[in-house]
Amino acid sequence: MNDNNLTDRIVNALSYLSILFLPVIFPLIVWIIAKNSDRPTIAKNACYAFWSQIFPLLYVIGAILVFSVFSLNLANFHGGALFGILLTFALLLALLLFIYNIAMAVKMLIGREEA
């Protein structure tokens, strides 16, 4: 087995597994470093890991903005239902992306590098 291939697989897996120990930051650092190297698979997988880990945060920010706009414009707005729907969707999205990151890490470790 090629040492570079093994190293690439481990770094790719760590980029996805970083959701457990250093989400968003680790894949971003790996992405920046690998972008300037001769290892495009590491850069590609670090990019995918970064976006899959930061997307729930971006969704929550968007949901808060939507909820704020609705609550400011309507005089008798009762946002319980809207808040519940937005929160439920945020939790489902975060769970799905968590499972995706773990599955991709396993995929990288067993040697299937194509995403």
Side-chain angles (χ1 to χ4, degrees):
M1 180 177 293
N2 189 349
D3 286 340
N4 281 343
N5 188 23
L6 180 60
T7 303
D8 289 0
R9 288 181 16 217
I10 291 171
V11 172
N12 289 339
L14 285 174
S15 291
Y16 289 108
L17 283 177
S18 68
I19 198 164
L20 300 172
F21 61 90
L22 199 58
V24 178
I25 296 169
F26 184 81
L28 180 61
I29 292 169
V30 171
W31 184 19
I32 290 169
I33 292 171
K35 199 163 44 166
N36 298 324
S37 72
D38 60 344
R39 297 215 169 120
T41 59
I42 292 178
K44 178 181 78 169
N45 284 295
C47 173
Y48 291 163
F50 170 78
W51 285 110
S52 68
Q53 292 175 16
I54 202 167
F55 190 75
L57 174 66
L58 297 176
Y59 170 79
V60 168
I61 291 170
I64 289 171
L65 290 174
V66 167
F67 186 75
S68 298
V69 166
F70 274 107
S71 65
L72 290 176
N73 288 337
L74 301 173
N76 294 328
F77 177 70
H78 301 289
L82 178 62
F83 182 74
I85 291 169
L86 293 174
L87 179 64
T88 301
F89 190 70
L91 292 173
L92 286 174
L93 180 66
L95 177 64
L96 288 174
L97 288 173
F98 180 83
I99 292 169
Y100 168 80
N101 276 283
I102 300 300
M104 288 302 293
V106 170
K107 183 178 179 181
M108 294 298 128
L109 286 175
I110 62 174
R112 297 184 184 186
E113 296 172 3
E114 301 83 26

